[in-house]
Amino acid sequence: MSKSFLVKLLIGLAWVAAAVLWLLSVILPDTFGFFNLSWAVVVIAGTSGVALLLRGLVSDKAGILKKIDIALGALLVIIAAVSVAFALALPESYVWPVIAVILTVAGLLSLLATGGKKWDGGDNEQVGYKDYRTRKAEEEKRNEKEDEE
């Protein structure tokens, strides 16, 4: 099975788990009465975020694709953290520091996943690169030498 399939499967299972727990909260309010929409968002966004973070870390994709997975995963983990804050009725003063921690960890993970390489390392960064004008000048010199011969 591919990594992409496993991520999709994990996200799908998170949706099923959230739906089942929400249904159980309606059917058995004494046991599962705590589960509401905020907790459903926590389950779905948290699982999806962690899955995307892991895919970003272990994928064989190019740098920018890894960083997109990690950024999207971090965004979903932030959504899950804010939902936990609302579900537990935590003070708002906790929310911003938690978001800052998640963003800095995501930045560190994207640096580790790409090995610090730029995603668009162009030819101009390679040793011996010649720009358009230099190549044209050399081509004209070659043409002049060929014409002289």
Side-chain angles (χ1 to χ4, degrees):
M1 282 190 269
S2 70
K3 295 171 194 163
S4 182
F5 175 75
L6 290 175
V7 168
K8 291 175 185 175
L9 179 67
L10 188 60
I11 292 170
L13 289 174
W15 278 90
V16 170
V20 167
L21 286 171
W22 200 3
L23 178 65
L24 287 173
S25 72
V26 173
I27 295 173
L28 303 169
D30 295 336
T31 308
F32 294 97
F34 70 94
F35 196 84
N36 55 20
L37 186 58
S38 293
W39 286 111
V41 170
V42 169
V43 169
I44 294 168
T47 305
S48 301
V50 169
L52 287 174
L53 283 171
L54 290 175
R55 183 171 75 177
L57 285 174
V58 299
S59 72
D60 301 332
K61 300 178 185 178
I64 188 66
L65 298 175
K66 285 183 172 191
K67 287 186 178 189
I68 288 172
D69 277 347
I70 290 172
L72 187 58
L75 177 68
L76 289 170
V77 171
I78 287 171
I79 291 170
V82 170
S83 294
V84 165
F86 285 130
L88 296 176
L90 294 175
E92 287 184 27
S93 61
Y94 289 180
V95 173
W96 286 109
V98 169
I99 289 173
V101 168
I102 292 170
L103 287 177
T104 55
V105 168
L108 180 64
L109 290 176
S110 80
L111 180 70
L112 291 174
T114 59
K117 296 178 184 175
K118 293 182 181 177
W119 66 272
D120 67 341
D123 291 336
N124 61 343
E125 295 177 3
Q126 295 178 0
V127 176
Y129 173 77
K130 297 177 184 175
D131 65 357
Y132 176 77
R133 289 185 182 97
T134 307
R135 288 194 312 264
K136 272 301 204 188
E138 288 178 357
E139 184 180 341
E140 287 176 10
K141 286 181 185 178
R142 274 194 309 255
N143 288 341
E144 286 176 10
K145 284 184 182 179
E146 289 176 1
D147 289 341
E148 289 176 2
E149 295 175 355

